[in-house]
Amino acid sequence: MPHDASEAAGATHDGALETRGLEPVPDAERTGRVRELFPTWVAANISVLLLTMGAGLIVFNGLNFWQVLAVAIAAPVLSYGIVGVISIAGKRGGAPGMALSRAVFGQRGNLFPGALIWVARWGWETINAVTGAYAVLTVLDLLFGVKSNTLLIVVTLLLFVTCTFLVSGLGINALRVCSKWSTYLFGAFSVLVLVYLVANTDWSAVFDKPAGSTAMMIAGIGTIAAGGISWVPSGPDFTRYLPRTASSKAMVGSTVGGAGIVVLPMVLMGAVMAVSTPDLASAQDPVSFIGELLPMWISVPYLVIALLGMLLINSMSMYSAGFTAQTLGIKVSRAAAVSVNAVISLVFGFLLMVVATSFIGSFISFLTLLAVAFSAWIGVFGVDMLRRRSYDAAALIDTTRTSAYWYRGGFAWQAMTAWAVALLVGLLFTKVDWFSGPLASSWIGENGLGWAATIVVAGVLYAVLPRTPEKASAAPAEVGETVSI
């Protein structure tokens, strides 16, 4: 039967280069370990943007230290809890998230959420590329007094995106190794920064700050959680090499733990820094403030390690984006598909650094829209995963009418309807710098819960609609185990 081109490209992850594409991983090759998820999700959050977002909770949301602490705990537990739960589908089906999504939306229907998620990744990769470039520029300024200019911006962006492409192109093994060592290094220097802040912060000013409103606190949780929500469709990409017998609870725990151990201290550090430097939250450059607040012997190595972390974040995103591009019918290998996103992030990154007037404004607006776009998929896919006990390996990569996931005309209309309605509802409650939905002033909108409403509407609507029956597969499917969470 005709399959995706990715299947013919190779099927191995041994050695430095992973050549396996969308095709499900056979049980014999599932040699991954659950504990490897911990450094993976640590690496996915090593970004100085968390400092800026923590500062924003103080300056823009008007929260006090204890409210920021509550936000910093709740946001990763909520968002990466969802990442961990959805990632269980990866060990059950052995395929990337957007390939498994074909079983839910149909071979043609999956093109719609797939295209939206792919485009959303452009923005995420652009934001990280820009932050990485700013980190390079800041280090050059601190060490050599080199000031930023247009040519240097282009060179640093190109360098960052090229390194990102190389790591993500190599595949899962390269990501695992880099994640492991970046976790150790970043952890060590973060402790050093924390010690410095404890010794040099006016704690009376920190603790004397009055509490903000509950609405701003809830909205803050949504803002911080949006970063984790964006990783949900990628969760199965990093668990498909796990054996079917891997503990689901351990998978969720490792995911939440890895993310939380970075998000919590980074957001708190940003909040503490903002008490003495409120301009931090609104700076055009989200990185250079580190050189102003910390001594050079701490700031330079810390920025270099954070730079490696941001490179890993982009590498992980591009790794998943390569799979997403393949599900859209782009007939190239995963590594070649990654290059498309690399070029796009380079172009958009240049525009954001040279043309845009407000980095943090663009970033928060992007996060808000990103959360809504991903949440519509999460609601539908999550309900389907709770119902489903197996995935048909042959049907996932068979994009013709013979596929068990062809449904009616290639569409699972119930899933498509729930997804589209929920996406529209989410936008009605959403407000960003340049767009405001008609329900943005409602309680849900004011509390920044448009993304949560999107998940609920998508899940409930999909649950009550009758399921589209699957066709008999032309080839036997692997039997998945029953999973309890």
Side-chain angles (χ1 to χ4, degrees):
M1 71 182 66
H3 292 183
D4 284 339
S6 59
E7 185 182 27
T12 179
H13 74 295
D14 297 326
L17 179 64
E18 178 190 13
T19 57
R20 179 174 297 283
L22 296 180
E23 68 282 359
V25 181
D27 287 343
E29 292 184 28
R30 296 195 183 191
T31 57
R33 300 176 180 178
V34 173
R35 66 171 179 263
E36 293 170 336
L37 294 176
F38 187 88
T40 295
W41 295 113
V42 168
N45 287 277
I46 299 177
S47 173
V48 294
L49 286 174
L50 285 170
L51 295 175
T52 306
M53 295 170 73
L57 295 176
I58 294 288
V59 177
F60 299 138
N61 293 57
L63 306 184
N64 65 14
F65 178 83
W66 302 112
Q67 289 175 313
V68 173
L69 175 62
V71 169
I73 293 173
V77 170
L78 175 63
S79 58
Y80 284 93
I82 298 175
V83 174
V85 170
I86 296 298
S87 70
I88 295 172
K91 71 154 182 173
R92 291 168 61 180
M98 293 314 298
L100 297 173
S101 183
R102 289 171 165 177
V104 184
F105 293 91
Q107 293 289 357
R108 286 178 174 172
N110 192 53
L111 299 177
F112 289 85
L116 183 60
I117 288 174
W118 191 46
V119 170
R121 291 199 183 284
W122 298 353
W124 187 239
E125 290 154 11
T126 297
I127 292 291
N128 282 304
V130 167
T131 309
Y134 274 131
V136 175
L137 292 172
T138 301
V139 171
L140 291 176
D141 185 19
L142 290 173
L143 290 179
F144 309 110
V146 177
K147 300 301 180 182
S148 175
N149 57 61
T150 301
L151 176 60
L152 196 56
I153 286 174
V154 172
V155 172
T156 53
L157 262 176
L158 182 61
L159 177 64
F160 183 87
V161 172
T162 300
C163 292
T164 298
F165 170 74
L166 291 176
V167 175
S168 59
L170 286 172
I172 193 70
N173 282 340
L175 289 172
R176 285 173 179 167
V177 172
C178 293
S179 297
K180 177 181 177 180
W181 287 105
S182 66
T183 297
Y184 294 150
L185 291 172
F186 189 76
F189 273 89
S190 291
V191 170
L192 188 61
V193 172
L194 280 171
V195 171
Y196 179 84
L197 288 177
V198 168
N200 293 274
T201 295
D202 181 1
W203 289 102
S204 61
V206 172
F207 292 121
D208 288 346
K209 184 172 176 57
S213 67
T214 302
M216 285 294 96
M217 186 175 170
I218 295 174
I221 293 174
T223 300
I224 304 298
I229 293 296
S230 69
W231 285 111
V232 175
S234 302
D237 302 0
F238 303 103
T239 59
R240 64 190 190 129
Y241 284 104
L242 293 179
R244 298 180 188 275
T245 55
S247 168
S248 297
K249 291 182 179 179
M251 289 168 61
V252 176
S254 294
T255 302
V256 173
I261 203 172
V262 179
V263 174
L264 176 58
M266 291 284 282
V267 170
L268 288 179
M269 283 193 292
V272 170
M273 290 176 177
V275 173
S276 58
T277 313
D279 291 343
L280 159 60
S282 56
Q284 167 64 19
D285 178 349
V287 177
S288 60
F289 70 88
I290 293 179
E292 300 171 4
L293 294 176
L294 301 174
M296 185 180 295
W297 63 273
I298 295 180
S299 61
V300 170
Y302 187 69
L303 277 172
V304 170
I305 295 169
L307 173 64
L308 295 176
M310 287 179 282
L311 189 149
L312 274 174
I313 293 173
N314 245 24
S315 298
M316 291 172 63
S317 181
M318 285 191 181
Y319 175 76
S320 293
F323 294 130
T324 305
Q326 287 181 324
T327 64
L328 298 178
I330 299 177
K331 303 296 184 180
V332 295
S333 67
R334 180 194 56 79
V338 167
S339 65
V340 177
N341 279 53
V343 173
I344 291 171
S345 63
L346 181 62
V347 174
F348 286 2
F350 174 79
L351 294 176
L352 184 56
M353 294 183 76
V354 176
V355 179
T357 58
S358 172
F359 176 89
I360 191 63
S362 301
F363 177 54
I364 296 300
S365 295
F366 164 72
L367 278 182
T368 303
L369 294 174
L370 182 77
V372 173
F374 281 64
S375 294
W377 180 89
I378 292 169
V380 175
F381 188 90
V383 169
D384 180 87
M385 197 190 82
L386 293 175
R387 291 172 167 178
R388 184 182 299 275
R389 289 295 173 263
S390 65
Y391 291 90
D392 187 327
L396 286 174
I397 56 175
D398 178 10
T399 57
T400 70
R401 297 177 183 275
T402 61
S403 174
Y405 300 139
W406 186 255
Y407 301 116
R408 295 180 181 176
F411 297 88
W413 293 105
Q414 291 82 351
M416 292 296 299
T417 299
W419 172 78
V421 171
L423 186 62
L424 177 61
V425 169
L427 292 175
L428 294 178
F429 290 108
T430 299
K431 181 179 181 180
V432 295
D433 286 348
W434 47 269
F435 169 80
S436 180
L439 300 179
S441 59
S442 65
W443 184 88
I444 293 176
E446 291 290 342
N447 285 273
L449 292 174
W451 63 273
T454 305
I455 292 178
V456 171
V457 171
V460 170
L461 188 56
Y462 182 64
V464 300
L465 290 173
R467 296 184 67 180
T468 303
E470 297 176 6
K471 297 166 53 179
S473 177
E478 289 187 288
V479 179
E481 91 288 11
T482 298
V483 177
S484 58
I485 301 173

